[in-house]
Amino acid sequence: TNRKESNTSLAGSVFEVWLHSRRARNRKRWWASAKCGYIQHDARRIHTLLRNGEWYFKTTSLPKQQKSKVKYQVIDRLRSKYSISALCWYLGCSRSGYYDWSSRGKPNHNKLDAVKESAILSIYYEKTARGRRQVQMHLERKYMLHMSLGSVHRYMAVLGLNSTRRKRYITPKKEAQNPLHTFPNVLQQDFHASSSHQKWLTDITYLPCKDGKLYLSCIKDLGDKSIVAYSVSAKNDIYLVLDTLARAKPFMREGIVLHSDRGSQYCSPIYQSVLLERGMVISMSRPGMPYDNAPMESFFSILKNEDLRLVKHLTCAQMREFIDSFIRYYNEDRPQWSLKKLTPFEFRSQLV
């Protein structure tokens, strides 16, 4: 009987402790929610402070460390009106982090390394359209500085360096085309090639000039992502693609797949006879499906958004010189993330 009474009293005391802790936890939750209920009335003011602060508070644009400092700045401004605990709870940051930031003198950002800062600035101002991946690859190639993408992103955010965003691609309306002189889609969006001169892509784009318009025809190799041949003309006709084929003639091999869209130039019997005589395999995109030729469209996007966008109002003669220099730069000096941070020509030498 005494043992049962002792067990009952022990169970009662444990229950009382649990009930007391639960009530305390509920009171704490009620206090926090009540405090944040008052803050909710001034939520617009808080978000205005976040927008108009030294850093623009955007979830996807700043590193996590930088976003916390934005919140600390807001807490520092509002601490006279609200408690620090309630503000930290509302903004989703820790009190210890705020006090640590405050004890370090409330810095806007961590101190930048002078060598890395100067290197990033010089790389960026060579071509202001470069993003963090291009900057990181050039840091390793030119300055032998190894930095993660997050670190490069933070340096560029602190220094106010923004890359040029590409325009959104608008899919054209699908139109019925004459199936005469067309070939099936052999490539089937398989853009992987184990070696050079195995799969080629070709297409035409227009280049607006100050005194007219030019058309650029290119052939791209999927093995090393280099531009095999190109031609520039004032007319978008069959002679433009034939000239491009003539420049690519030294690299033609039997069995190479050459993929294009269903443009009138590529449906020409003259163009197709040149390829069939060389033993090449002709492949064509489906009607109204530009994604079947996506890597070629990507190259034209890089040309127009990274470089051509920075040099406007060129004459036709200047545009021809610009295209020559850009394709030389693209093949020899521009590293690519998918090529193990190598240029197309460097990657081709490794494949050989």
Side-chain angles (χ1 to χ4, degrees), residues 275-301:
L275 298 181
L276 294 176
E277 287 176 1
R278 289 280 177 172
M280 300 182 67
V281 180
I282 302 176
S283 175
M284 290 188 174
S285 301
R286 292 165 290 176
M289 188 57 64
Y291 302 106
D292 291 342
N293 205 10
M296 196 73 250
E297 301 288 352
S298 175
F299 168 75
F300 290 147
S301 176

Side-chain angles (χ1 to χ4, degrees), residues 264-331:
S264 60
Q265 301 87 349
Y266 303 115
C267 292
S268 169
I270 303 175
Y271 167 82
Q272 295 175 359
S273 63
V274 173
L275 298 181
L276 294 176
E277 287 176 1
R278 289 280 177 172
M280 300 182 67
V281 180
I282 302 176
S283 175
M284 290 188 174
S285 301
R286 292 165 290 176
M289 188 57 64
Y291 302 106
D292 291 342
N293 205 10
M296 196 73 250
E297 301 288 352
S298 175
F299 168 75
F300 290 147
S301 176
I302 292 172
L303 165 65
K304 294 183 178 181
N305 289 284
E306 285 193 8
D307 289 68
L308 192 57
R309 196 174 179 178
L310 304 176
V311 284
K312 298 180 179 179
H313 310 296
L314 297 179
T315 63
C316 290
Q318 292 172 339
M319 182 64 74
R320 291 176 183 271
E321 295 178 359
F322 171 79
I323 293 299
D324 292 338
S325 62
F326 174 79
I327 293 182
R328 191 182 309 112
Y329 158 75
Y330 181 86
N331 284 336

Side-chain angles (χ1 to χ4, degrees), residues 183-197:
F183 285 78
N185 187 356
V186 179
L187 202 61
Q188 293 293 331
Q189 294 191 10
D190 182 13
F191 303 128
H192 173 74
S194 58
S195 62
S196 300
H197 307 310

Side-chain angles (χ1 to χ4, degrees), residues 25-41 43 46-47 50 57 68 71-72 74-76 78-79 82-99:
R25 186 165 63 250
N26 289 340
R27 283 196 299 271
K28 187 177 181 181
R29 287 179 179 175
W30 176 86
W31 172 84
S33 61
K35 286 288 184 182
C36 288
Y38 294 117
I39 298 176
Q40 296 260 351
H41 294 289
I46 293 175
H47 290 296
L50 289 169
F57 182 72
S68 298
K71 297 177 182 179
Y72 297 155
V74 175
I75 292 172
D76 195 58
L78 299 178
R79 61 179 299 179
Y82 307 106
S83 68
I84 294 175
S85 300
L87 286 169
C88 290
W89 191 84
Y90 179 77
L91 294 175
C93 58
S94 63
R95 293 175 59 216
S96 61
Y98 167 74
Y99 286 120

Side-chain angles (χ1 to χ4, degrees), residues 162-176:
N162 299 315
S163 62
T164 303
R165 293 188 176 183
R166 299 186 189 180
K167 294 181 180 179
R168 182 181 177 184
Y169 184 80
I170 301 176
T171 307
K173 295 182 179 179
K174 294 185 178 181
E175 299 178 358

Side-chain angles (χ1 to χ4, degrees), residues 20 46 49 99 151 229 258 263:
H20 178 74
I46 293 175
L49 288 173
Y99 286 120
S151 298
L258 181 56

